[in-house]
Amino acid sequence: MDLKLGDFVRFVDENIEGYITRIIDKTTIGVTDSNDFEIPVLASKVTLVHGDIPDNDIVSNRTNTPIAEAVFITEGVYLALVADQHSNSVVHFHLVNESSFQLLSSFTTEKNGTFKGDFAGVISANSNKKIYSAQLGDIQIWPKFRLEILFNTPANFEPKAPLIFQTYIKGKDLSVAKEEIAPLKQKGWIIKLEEPETIVDAEKLKASFFK
């Protein structure tokens, strides 16, 4: 069974339910119950509660309705980190796409030379997708994150250059105040992926040659 942080599970041998708030090792997880008490348990001793709909399934590719160039939005792609609604000790990474492009995305983690592909899929225009979850208390030992994005659109519009973003995230990066993230309807931290376009002032550039 592929269990993930934030999954709602029920103990097989006991009348206990809760959310997974820690992956301790390959066989053991931590489950926080309704009393906010985290219980270590073998992963084989819990089962996913039916009816809990996961929100990290890969989005199937589909043809979008052509978008008029006059309203085509080229910017607005970022990572949003938000706390789990049931446990503040777990943070979820969402790839937010406020642009008119479809994003062909690959998210990989690397730690001590070991790589793991954690997400691959399509993020439709004006949508978002949860691509990763982590224990907030372990932030200082989080892996290195690598995100690769291709921009695609059925509209008559030139795709942007592929985006490759890789970084470590440490506690100081989340020491700033949370921002309201409208697509997710909650506050969190925003990590910008797109570099602002450099605007060259021709007059200033010409004047610099004569100084």
Side-chain angles (χ1 to χ4, degrees), residues 79 81 93 107-110 142-147 164-170 172-173 191-193:
L79 273 177
L81 277 61
F93 291 54
F107 186 77
T108 304
T109 56
E110 182 267 324
W142 280 1
K144 185 177 184 179
F145 302 112
R146 179 183 176 94
L147 182 62
I164 299 178
F165 176 84
Q166 49 188 343
T167 188
Y168 287 100
I169 298 175
K170 299 299 182 183
K172 62 182 179 62
D173 299 313
I191 298 177
K192 296 180 179 179
L193 304 175

Side-chain angles (χ1 to χ4, degrees):
M1 190 188 311
D2 185 18
L3 297 174
K4 301 175 292 296
L5 287 172
D7 282 348
F8 189 57
V9 296
R10 178 179 296 125
F11 285 44
V12 174
D13 300 325
E14 300 180 67
N15 187 25
I16 299 175
E17 295 178 338
Y19 291 89
I20 298 176
T21 52
R22 184 181 298 275
I23 305 296
I24 298 173
D25 55 35
K26 292 182 178 180
T27 60
T28 312
I29 59 176
V31 176
T32 297
D33 63 12
S34 58
N35 297 316
D36 288 331
F37 183 73
E38 188 176 79
I39 307 167
V41 61
L42 290 172
S44 60
K45 295 295 183 181
V46 302
T47 182
L48 282 169
V49 175
H50 294 291
D52 206 51
I53 302 174
D55 62 355
N56 61 344
D57 290 343
I58 294 177
V59 180
S60 60
N61 197 1
R62 55 184 179 273
T63 302
N64 287 351
T65 303
I67 304 170
E69 291 188 16
V71 296
F72 197 95
I73 300 171
T74 62
E75 304 292 327
V77 177
Y78 57 90
L79 273 177
L81 277 61
V82 296
D84 187 271
Q85 295 181 354
H86 306 284
S87 174
N88 288 328
S89 66
V90 174
V91 65
H92 300 296
F93 291 54
H94 291 257
L95 180 55
V96 180
N97 179 20
E98 296 183 343
S99 78
S100 299
F101 287 109
Q102 292 181 99
L103 308 182
L104 284 66
S105 311
S106 171
F107 186 77
T108 304
T109 56
E110 182 267 324
K111 191 171 186 180
N112 299 325
T114 300
F115 295 85
K116 181 185 178 185
D118 284 277
F119 174 84
V122 176
I123 313 295
S124 300
N126 299 305
S127 67
N128 63 84
K129 198 69 178 174
K130 186 175 77 174
I131 62 174
Y132 187 73
S133 299
Q135 184 74 24
L136 190 56
D138 295 335
I139 188 170
Q140 295 305 323
I141 58 173
W142 280 1
K144 185 177 184 179
F145 302 112
R146 179 183 176 94
L147 182 62
E148 300 173 78
I149 296 174
L150 293 175
F151 296 85
N152 179 271
T153 175
N156 181 21
F157 208 92
E158 182 180 4
K160 295 171 63 174
L163 186 156
I164 299 178
F165 176 84
Q166 49 188 343
T167 188
Y168 287 100
I169 298 175
K170 299 299 182 183
K172 62 182 179 62
D173 299 313
L174 304 188
S175 61
V176 297
K178 293 181 179 181
E179 302 179 47
E180 189 68 37
I181 303 173
L184 301 180
K185 298 180 180 180
Q186 69 180 109
K187 289 188 175 182
W189 298 278
I190 290 175
I191 298 177
K192 296 180 179 179
L193 304 175
E194 300 165 310
E195 293 292 335
E197 184 177 354
T198 302
I199 300 176
V200 178
D201 188 316
E203 291 301 319
K204 288 184 178 180
L205 181 62
K206 185 169 74 173
S208 68
F209 285 103
F210 297 98
K211 286 185 178 179

